[in-house]
Amino acid sequence: MELNLGDPLFATYAIAASLMILKAISMSWLTVLRMLQVNGGYRAPEDLKKTPLNPNPDPSQLLPNERVERVRRIHMNDLENIPFFLVAGFLFVATGPSLEVAQVTLYGYVASRVLHFIAYLSAQTHDVRATLWTIGSLILIYMCVHVLMTALPVLQ
Amino acid sequence: MELNLGDPLFATYAIAASLMILKAISMSWLTVLRMLQVNGGYRAPEDLKKTPLNPNPDPSQLLPNERVERVRRIHMNDLENIPFFLVAGFLFVATGPSLEVAQVTLYGYVASRVLHFIAYLSAQTHDVRATLWTIGSLILIYMCVHVLMTALPVLQ
Amino acid sequence: MELNLGDPLFATYAIAASLMILKAISMSWLTVLRMLQVNGGYRAPEDLKKTPLNPNPDPSQLLPNERVERVRRIHMNDLENIPFFLVAGFLFVATGPSLEVAQVTLYGYVASRVLHFIAYLSAQTHDVRATLWTIGSLILIYMCVHVLMTALPVLQ
């Protein structure tokens, strides 16, 4: 693989990775949006200081708020998965798969995470959410095993 | 370094990185396994809906369960360390160390994390766990300092 | 881009990435330092076992301690941002920006995170902290969008 965005394999990786990064950091923005909506869900004691963004502070603003906590749980799930996808996907394209296999694998992962987000945000049952998470996690495992099977013989 | 798994340095990195990714995402699977074993330790309110996987929901299923929380703490420790190893290790092999140095450094890190996992899962004392974590953290710091000392002169 | 630290663009990325990794893992060391200072803020039940590092254990050592929790919140904020910067920055330099643009972007991100750390550690108002976080997050979004705009036409 060329480390060059003109290489279709590397471009595929770059697109999937950028989308997943934007997805993960959007959770921070969504947390902020919901904190503004519910005027609470804060965590740091100093967030009760009177400021232009919080003109009428109240101790209840530090209590957990379910609308905010839901996004924090989704965000945490991203942190448990997406950083590993970003590296596993890079190593996977470095094994030189066909472009079709790379696209199905990487875009399939992206799709599984977007669907997981929708299911979690709309409070679908644990079974639906778990199924979507499992699809993404199996893609991750497949990529890692494929990288190991390609790299291990090199060092023997 | 060639971005090619035929390059022994890059293959060494790919092996260590894949093992660490599999280790980290195994923590999600172990969390699921323990939640099934204790039939609880859930976090989202909708996990109390009656489903094929949870036929007899009960509010106590949302309480923290120490067997589940232990794996979550181990997982969190992975998230605080492994994503940074994945990038530091890549940059470290890009400095062109000897294959022996790269293998001792990267595989040493992998070993420190596996031992940390065993110590944490089996509830060894804080001192044992802290020692194993420290070894891994010092390897990370060594790699970053080495990268800085190689890259900084390039830009002067 | 050459995957070679002799390439100024890659060296710039390697410097920014190493600094951010050192910053993030320093939060673990700062957590340890504060736990030693307050002799508490522990999380695992076995941390109450009598050891050379904890000669007089007490159940209150497992209670949250604000001096420790503050560093944990800062650390969590790093985990929500820095792993994504590490990959977005790599892809951004792979698009071949000028060295000046790369340095302003990557070092600007590093500066925003250092200032965010200082503001959070010294308990500045939410508004100050949020402004500094926003600068870093917008740099991340800019890099991802730039990567997408470069990579998407390749696959059409």
Side-chain angles (χ1 to χ4, degrees), chain A residues 3 5-6 12-13 15 18 21-22 24-25 28-29 44-47 49 51-53 75-76 79 82 107, chain C residues 1 3 66 70 73 76 79-80 84 87 90 95 123-127 129 133 137 144 147 151-152 154-155:
Chain A
L3 194 62
L5 283 169
T12 298
Y13 166 70
I15 291 165
S18 297
I21 294 170
L22 287 171
I25 61 183
S28 296
W29 290 92
E46 64 268 27
D47 296 353
K49 285 182 191 163
T51 67
L53 286 175
H75 200 173
M76 192 68 206
L79 302 187
I82 292 177
Y107 296 160
Chain C
M1 188 177 64
L3 194 62
E66 171 56 17
R70 176 171 298 281
R73 288 194 300 272
M76 192 68 207
L79 302 187
E80 291 169 2
F84 303 112
V87 175
F90 177 68
T95 66
Q124 301 302 310
T125 62
H126 189 272
D127 296 21
R129 202 174 82 223
W133 172 82
S137 198
C144 289
V147 170
L152 281 170
V154 172
L155 291 163

Side-chain angles (χ1 to χ4, degrees), chain C residues 22-101:
Chain C
L22 287 172
K23 193 280 171 197
I25 60 182
S26 297
M27 295 306 99
S28 296
W29 290 92
L30 188 55
T31 302
V32 169
L33 179 68
R34 292 204 161 183
M35 287 194 302
L36 291 174
Q37 285 174 343
V38 305
N39 192 27
Y42 301 142
R43 281 182 166 171
E46 63 268 27
D47 296 353
L48 296 187
K49 285 183 191 164
K50 186 168 177 161
T51 67
L53 286 174
N54 191 15
N56 301 300
D58 186 282
S60 70
Q61 289 179 311
L62 285 184
L63 296 176
N65 176 288
E66 171 56 17
R67 275 180 61 76
V68 178
E69 293 304 312
R70 176 171 298 281
V71 182
R72 287 204 171 109
R73 288 194 300 272
I74 297 174
H75 200 173
M76 192 68 207
N77 195 281
D78 280 348
L79 302 187
E80 291 169 2
N81 291 279
I82 293 178
F84 303 112
F85 167 75
L86 295 176
V87 175
F90 177 68
L91 294 173
F92 181 67
V93 295
T95 66
S98 74
L99 187 58
E100 289 71 28
V101 167

Side-chain angles (χ1 to χ4, degrees), chain B residues 1-3 10 66 70 73 76 79-81 83-85 87-88 90-91 94-95 119-120 122-127 129-130 133-134 137-138 140-141 143-145 147-148 150-152 154-155, chain C residues 3-8 10-15 17-22 24-25 28-29 32 35 42-47 49 51-54 75-76 78-79 82-83 86 90 99 103 107:
Chain B
M1 188 176 66
E2 291 281 311
L3 194 61
F10 190 57
E66 171 57 17
R70 177 173 298 280
R73 288 195 299 272
M76 192 67 207
L79 302 186
E80 291 169 2
N81 290 278
F84 303 111
F85 166 74
V87 175
F90 177 67
L91 294 173
T95 66
Y120 212 155
S122 59
Q124 302 301 310
T125 62
H126 189 271
D127 296 21
R129 201 174 82 223
W133 171 83
T134 299
S137 197
L138 291 177
L140 256 180
I141 293 170
M143 293 195 295
C144 288
V145 170
V147 169
L148 282 175
T150 308
L152 281 170
V154 172
L155 291 163
Chain C
L3 194 62
N4 182 324
L5 284 169
D7 178 320
F10 190 57
T12 298
Y13 167 70
I15 291 166
S18 298
L19 290 174
M20 285 287 83
I21 294 170
L22 287 172
I25 60 182
S28 296
W29 290 92
V32 169
M35 287 194 302
Y42 301 142
R43 281 182 166 171
E46 63 268 27
D47 296 353
K49 285 183 191 164
T51 67
L53 286 174
N54 191 15
H75 200 173
M76 192 68 207
D78 280 348
L79 302 187
I82 293 178
L86 295 176
F90 177 68
L99 187 58
Q103 292 189 330
Y107 296 160

